[in-house]
Amino acid sequence: MAFEMALIRRAAAVEVLLRRLLDDRALSGEITRPDRLMAAMRHGVLNGGKRLRPFLVMESAALFSADGEAALRVAAALECVHCYSLIHDDLPAMDDDDLRRGLPTVHKAFDEATAILAGDALLTLAFDIIADEATALPAERRATLVLALARAAGGGGMVGGQKLDLEAEQAPPDEAGIIRLQAMKTGALIRFACEAGALVAGAPAEDRERLAEFGSAIGLAFQLADDLLDLTADASQMGKATGKDAAAGKATLVALHGANWARSQLHGLVDQAHELLAPYGEQAALLKEAATFVATRNN
Ligand code: GRG
């Protein structure tokens, strides 16, 4: 319960900031922000996501008593990257989805070219937000965050994972291949979310690594839960089409080992995630609950 309340509270804070960052007014150095592009960006962002990644950034930052305002901006930046990935993933050339978060996808509400550009601009905006002096951290820390986010989101991270996922449709990967592509496609941003709190705080490398490992464990759990939901949930519950993986004969760990195996793996991953946070005691209670939520969520 404490977790659900905290998730809602953190989501509200990040949405206020995202609305401001997606304002029509051009920033210094920009020329103009086209109305229809900005409207498409807002449609893709301000549409009721769970804001789990921002939550993880802010809670991991709180663990080290980091600057809350700076953590909030990093959280908003990460949500921009996540929303861009969803906009592009929904495009006809990728998953070809009409529904996202219970609303028409950006290319349906606008058009395909605008959706591509909205995604592009959100990705760029993410780095703008972190690099901006308004993210009141030492310049070196901002640069470290920019680099870590770039590595998580790019060709060796989320985008690379998406590419491997597309290739998997032609040549199904083995178990290690599935785990690797999922760690990239879904896991890398979640790992960054957890690691980012330690980076914002300038915490010791050991803490940064511990939080990143926590992120990897819950990233894997997130994808396993997602694969299970694709099998068991309906579109109204998820706000997007389901059953697509099974229909496409997609290689997932659930398809390989079955739902019961996946559920027992989820237990193991939650235990592992909780153990990683043991050194932080009660301070980490909400992050621990987040791990449980990720594994047991129903949308
Ligand atoms: C197209 C560059 C590019 C990348 C796509 C993230 C991704 C890579 C694709 C999304 C496809 C998908 C449904 C993956 C499963 C995991 C996932 C990211 C689900 C959506 O995340 P949630 O549940 O969504 O956190 P909300 O809407 O709450 O933010």
Side-chain angles (χ1 to χ4, degrees):
M1 200 59 204
F3 166 76
E4 270 92 358
M5 300 290 287
L7 184 61
I8 290 169
R9 193 166 51 83
R10 297 289 197 195
V14 83
E15 274 164 29
V16 169
L17 176 58
L18 283 165
R19 191 169 294 280
R20 189 148 59 76
L21 293 163
L22 293 169
D23 192 85
D24 283 333
R25 267 168 304 178
L27 300 179
S28 100
E30 294 179 338
I31 297 168
T32 189
R33 291 184 160 195
D35 289 348
R36 196 172 151 79
L37 176 65
M38 297 313 297
M41 290 165 76
R42 286 191 291 268
H43 183 91
V45 174
L46 303 170
N47 54 357
K50 291 184 289 295
R51 316 303 186 192
L52 176 67
R53 292 156 195 77
F55 175 87
L56 293 170
V57 174
M58 290 187 267
E59 279 305 320
S60 59
L63 198 57
F64 303 105
S65 309
D67 180 316
E69 280 305 306
L72 179 61
R73 287 182 62 88
V74 174
L78 178 56
E79 187 67 8
C80 287
V81 176
H82 171 58
C83 293
Y84 123 74
S85 82
L86 298 180
I87 295 170
H88 280 193
D89 188 63
D90 290 334
L91 287 167
M94 302 254 184
D95 246 12
D96 194 10
D97 275 308
D98 295 351
L99 207 59
R100 169 69 63 185
R101 295 172 170 170
L103 292 170
T105 47
V106 177
H107 67 276
K108 283 284 163 190
F110 293 80
D111 58 82
E112 214 175 307
T114 305
I116 293 171
L117 294 175
D120 292 342
L122 282 169
L123 175 61
T124 317
L125 177 62
F127 297 106
D128 181 323
I129 295 168
I130 298 178
D132 193 313
E133 281 180 359
T135 302
L137 295 173
E140 201 182 316
R141 234 180 265 179
R142 278 183 274 140
T144 303
L145 281 156
V146 163
L147 182 62
L149 179 56
R151 297 271 162 98
M158 179 184 69
V159 172
Q162 178 77 352
K163 178 65 182 144
L164 292 178
D165 200 31
L166 292 172
E167 287 174 3
E169 287 167 21
Q170 315 313 325
D174 60 11
E175 178 159 358
I178 297 173
I179 292 173
R180 190 181 53 185
L181 91 78
Q182 293 186 342
M184 294 167 72
K185 179 181 142 173
T186 331
L189 285 199
I190 294 177
R191 182 180 163 99
F192 170 81
C194 299
E195 185 183 15
L199 294 178
V200 170
E206 189 193 320
D207 289 307
R208 174 181 173 175
E209 188 47 40
R210 184 171 283 280
L211 267 292
E213 269 184 51
F214 168 77
S216 289
I218 68 171
L220 196 50
F222 184 96
Q223 186 61 55
L224 264 179
D226 210 69
D227 293 343
L228 273 175
L229 285 167
D230 189 67
L231 211 66
T232 57
D234 60 25
S236 65
Q237 183 180 336
M238 297 296 285
K240 65 175 185 182
T242 57
K244 291 185 79 167
D245 291 354
K250 196 166 171 180
T252 65
L253 293 179
V254 174
L256 213 59
H257 296 293
N260 285 338
W261 175 91
R263 288 191 191 99
S264 98
Q265 284 295 110
L266 279 172
H267 277 294
L269 285 165
V270 172
D271 287 348
Q272 187 189 329
H274 286 185
E275 237 162 75
L276 280 161
L277 297 185
Y280 308 110
E282 260 311 289
Q283 291 271 90
L286 284 174
L287 278 177
K288 285 186 187 163
E289 278 194 56
T292 308
F293 166 81
V294 159
T296 55
R297 73 202 163 90
N298 54 17
N299 70 21

